[in-house]
Amino acid sequence: MTILIRGAGIAGLTLAHELAEAGHPVVLADIAASPGLGASYYAGGMLAPWCEGETAPAEVVRLGTEAVVWWERVLPDEVTRGGTLVVANARDAAELRRFASRTENHVWLDSQAIAEKEPDLAGRFSQALFFAGEAHLDPRAAMAALTEKLKGMGVDIRCGEAAHPLLEKEHGFPTVIDCTGPSARGLARGLRGVRGEMLVLETPEVALSRPVRLLHPRIPLYIVPRAGHRFMIGATMIESEDDGPASVRSVMELLNAAYALHPAFAEARLLETGTGIRPAYPDNTPRFSREGGNRYRLNGFYRHGFLLAPALARLVIRELGGIA
Amino acid sequence: MLTLYGQEIESRLLLGTARYPSPEILRQSVLASKAGILTVSLRRETAGGKGGGVFFHLIRELGVRLLPNTAGCHSAREAVLTAKMAREVFGTDWIKLEVIGDHDTLAPDVFELVEAARILASEGFKVFPYTTEDMGVGEKLLAAGCEVLMPWCAPIGTARGPVNAAALKSYRSHFQGVPLIVDAGIGRPSHAAFVMELGFDAVLLNTAVAGAGNPVDMASAFADAIEAGRQGFLAGLLEPRDMAVPSTPVIGKAVFS
């Protein structure tokens, strides 16, 4: 019995993988030209459940711990398990203590230990938190690799024009799962968009091996190293569904964070500014719900797409049980 | 009861709506706080057509009176523009006027503040100015048309509490009859109780609740502290003395020596 998944972002791709692996015929359709061009395209790709525990509910941490294992199993070449480094400027030391008191699975590093982990940060911070169990990936590379893998597993992926006839005739499928993220606003009750702006910088003058979070009382930000001397800097969190270009203020704050982390970022090339809309329910946690009949919805991943998609995909398989 | 611009407000807590872990926790915190007024921040990105519609809808559904603010504005011109957008979006002429002078400390630019207050008051806005404890500035704000003053007790988000208690006391006694709301710098329920004991009319806070380990419980703690401080003020507090004063009379007591 073929399952139609609407939306080939991180939720749809991950779910397609789990369903196909469980032996279900899957059709994955997206009106965009190729998979992974929605909210997931702008993601940081941090698999950091314990850091997220600073503000996210315990359930997010619990489900998120599955993510590193899942990604390493499914796409071993795409995942770097190097942990997360959390730093703050000297005057924001209280922020670091607060972060430590709200999170688990971390150790304190002194400036020497920081220098051993990240030589380029030597002498820049006197203390840091290190979350050894966390990992990161490049979302765009990971989604491209996952797409190829799905094709190899026999998943029928239809994008752009090719998707339209299928999406219009979804009633022809015994089971339909809607994973359309922010596009489902107005259709899914309580679903809203949360604007996020990000940058991509390029510089050979700084090297980092793992994501670094820079705490700040107003604008906490992170820098994720990518291949080719590139760095993704994210992300603002604005309660708005405006998907227009990044504002000067946001770009300034993001650049300030990079510069505060290492002054050599001043000479970096600004390759990209991007805006994504995170889909979120009022409690900022994802939901799998039955829309009626054979139609289901998986949405609301907020800022935790790569972190929670594996756990939610497994939940879908359990919930569907014998139905699918 | 607290009266602001002719409106009676049930609670003496004004709560900000920014930076909660989720809108759901915000909702629960508002209920626990019993806040009479919610401040809401309008950013340019949210002012356009699609804007922050859903988030604002969630806030409106709480049924609490809204006080939009001009957070993040650095000049009178910018603040006036934001205030007008807020009037459109929220349908209220109440505005919490914030004009930031220093990016680092978020201290108000009092010159631009007074200018913005003058313009907004002349256009019918009911202005709630975020200011320092400088009484001269307070006088100018009243002259500009403000009927409420909101001095800080410490810089925004610092959680330092009333760092200059003497100035706050003078401020209270100088502005008899003017509703005074302590805005910014409150970190703990005891800070809120303290300024209420000084006779301030209300307290405005955000980070102390939103950033707490458990925002909902913290909201409830602040509600109780503000109520306790107010009752303490009304009941007539004792002034500190230099010498011990026995609570039972000594005269007439048998002396064994």
Side-chain angles (χ1 to χ4, degrees):
Chain A
M1 297 289 263
T2 303
I3 298 171
L4 172 65
I5 298 174
R6 297 179 67 113
I10 190 55
L13 289 165
T14 307
L15 181 59
H17 185 277
E18 290 303 279
L19 288 170
E21 204 174 49
H24 299 286
V26 176
V27 177
L28 179 60
D30 196 307
I31 53 167
S34 66
L37 295 181
S40 329
Y41 188 75
Y42 302 99
M46 292 184 294
L47 306 175
W50 295 287
C51 279
E52 289 300 309
E54 182 218 357
T55 50
E59 185 73 353
V60 169
V61 180
R62 192 179 67 74
L63 295 175
T65 53
E66 295 181 28
V68 179
V69 180
W70 191 89
W71 285 103
E72 281 184 336
R73 174 176 72 80
V74 173
L75 295 174
D77 296 340
E78 300 295 327
V79 184
T80 307
R81 194 194 280 238
T84 305
L85 200 62
V86 183
V87 298
N89 288 318
R91 64 178 191 175
D92 297 327
E95 292 297 314
L96 208 51
R97 291 193 296 276
R98 189 183 59 83
F99 198 92
S101 72
R102 304 259 169 93
T103 53
E104 292 173 341
N105 273 10
H106 53 68
V107 293
W108 283 94
L109 302 186
D110 60 15
S111 70
Q112 192 186 338
I114 296 169
E116 283 164 19
K117 294 255 180 270
E118 296 289 358
D120 279 4
L121 297 184
R124 301 203 53 77
F125 299 95
S126 59
Q127 53 179 2
L129 288 167
F130 182 59
F131 293 75
E134 299 186 338
H136 68 283
L137 47 72
D138 177 342
R140 296 171 192 178
M143 287 191 289
L146 191 51
T147 302
E148 286 311 306
K149 186 166 188 210
L150 291 175
K151 286 179 186 164
M153 294 166 79
V155 174
D156 183 0
I157 302 178
R158 309 278 186 91
C159 287
E161 289 297 318
H164 284 281
L166 285 178
L167 295 172
E168 280 157 21
K169 285 185 205 148
E170 68 163 44
H171 55 269
F173 289 87
T175 304
V176 180
I177 305 175
D178 189 310
C179 300
T180 51
S183 303
R185 280 171 295 151
L187 303 170
R189 194 177 144 73
L191 192 74
R192 75 187 196 287
V194 180
R195 176 179 165 97
E197 296 146 294
M198 52 78 81
L199 313 174
V200 179
L201 305 185
E202 182 187 73
T203 176
E205 293 180 40
V206 187
L208 296 174
S209 307
R210 54 184 61 76
V212 179
R213 292 183 183 226
L214 180 66
L215 302 184
H216 184 279
R218 295 192 300 279
I219 28 179
L221 298 159
Y222 57 80
I223 299 188
V224 189
R226 300 253 169 99
H229 303 298
R230 292 180 180 194
F231 299 86
M232 182 273 192
I233 304 183
T236 56
M237 304 266 286
I238 300 170
E239 287 287 352
S240 168
E241 300 186 336
D242 180 333
D243 59 358
S247 73
V248 168
R249 177 183 300 177
S250 295
V251 173
M252 218 156 54
E253 287 172 352
L254 294 165
L255 290 175
N256 265 334
Y259 187 71
L261 191 72
H262 202 299
F265 276 115
E267 298 299 327
R269 307 283 179 181
L270 178 46
L271 297 188
E272 178 187 340
T273 65
T275 302
I277 300 296
R278 308 174 183 90
Y281 288 110
D283 61 359
N284 289 349
T285 60
R287 284 181 201 169
F288 177 62
S289 53
R290 187 174 189 164
E291 296 285 291
N294 63 348
R295 201 172 196 289
Y296 300 84
R297 188 182 297 287
L298 178 62
N299 209 325
F301 282 88
Y302 185 47
R303 52 182 272 165
H304 301 130
F306 286 81
L307 185 65
L308 296 183
L312 268 289
R314 287 184 208 190
L315 180 138
V316 171
I317 300 236
R318 280 198 305 277
E319 296 265 320
L320 289 179
I323 302 169
Chain B
M1 197 178 291
L2 177 63
T3 303
L4 302 171
Y5 286 104
Q7 297 291 325
E8 290 196 336
I9 307 295
E10 293 273 353
S11 158
R12 291 176 183 273
L13 172 57
L14 291 79
L15 191 64
T17 54
R19 300 178 58 196
Y20 288 76
S22 69
E24 175 56 21
I25 289 177
L26 163 62
R27 188 185 68 81
Q28 293 174 21
S29 301
V30 169
L31 292 178
S33 75
K34 304 187 195 78
I37 294 173
L38 298 179
T39 62
V40 48
S41 158
L42 187 77
R43 286 192 54 151
R44 295 295 171 77
E45 295 93 331
T46 61
K50 41 194 167 178
V54 180
F55 182 69
F56 293 153
H57 180 71
L58 290 169
I59 290 179
R60 276 200 203 92
E61 273 188 339
L62 296 167
V64 181
R65 176 181 284 275
L66 296 183
L67 174 61
N69 68 31
T70 62
C73 290
H74 285 72
S75 68
R77 190 164 163 268
E78 209 183 346
V80 168
L81 182 63
T82 306
K84 288 178 179 171
M85 286 182 181
R87 183 162 62 181
E88 290 295 312
V89 172
F90 296 104
T92 173
D93 53 9
W94 283 25
I95 189 77
K96 178 188 161 184
L97 183 60
E98 225 178 284
V99 187
I100 300 302
D102 180 64
H103 189 75
D104 235 23
T105 61
L106 301 181
D109 180 330
V110 295
F111 300 94
E112 294 286 310
L113 179 71
V114 171
E115 175 62 7
R118 190 187 58 74
I119 297 168
L120 289 171
S122 73
E123 296 190 17
F125 282 91
K126 312 286 190 292
V127 181
F128 293 68
Y130 159 64
T131 180
T132 67
E133 66 279 68
D134 187 306
M135 292 187 285
V137 174
E139 290 289 2
K140 291 226 183 310
L141 287 166
L142 294 180
C146 298
E147 294 178 21
V148 174
L149 295 174
M150 303 210 295
W152 66 359
C153 74
I156 294 175
T158 57
R160 290 197 167 273
V163 288
N164 194 349
L168 286 177
K169 278 185 197 172
S170 308
Y171 205 84
R172 174 68 283 182
S173 55
H174 184 77
F175 293 107
Q176 301 277 352
V178 177
L180 298 182
I181 301 169
V182 171
D183 176 10
I186 298 275
R188 305 171 172 221
S190 55
H191 296 156
F194 178 81
V195 299
M196 292 304 291
E197 285 172 2
L198 294 182
F200 282 85
D201 296 280
V203 168
L204 195 162
L205 48 92
N206 190 153
T207 312
V209 169
N214 183 331
V216 183
D217 287 354
M218 191 60 83
S220 163
F222 270 105
D224 291 347
I226 288 165
E227 186 57 31
R230 178 68 184 172
Q231 279 188 32
F233 168 72
L234 293 177
L237 296 158
L238 297 187
E239 286 304 313
R241 291 169 187 266
D242 292 332
M243 298 296 288
V245 180
S247 50
T248 45
V250 196
I251 293 166
K253 221 174 162 184
V255 177
F256 305 97
S257 58

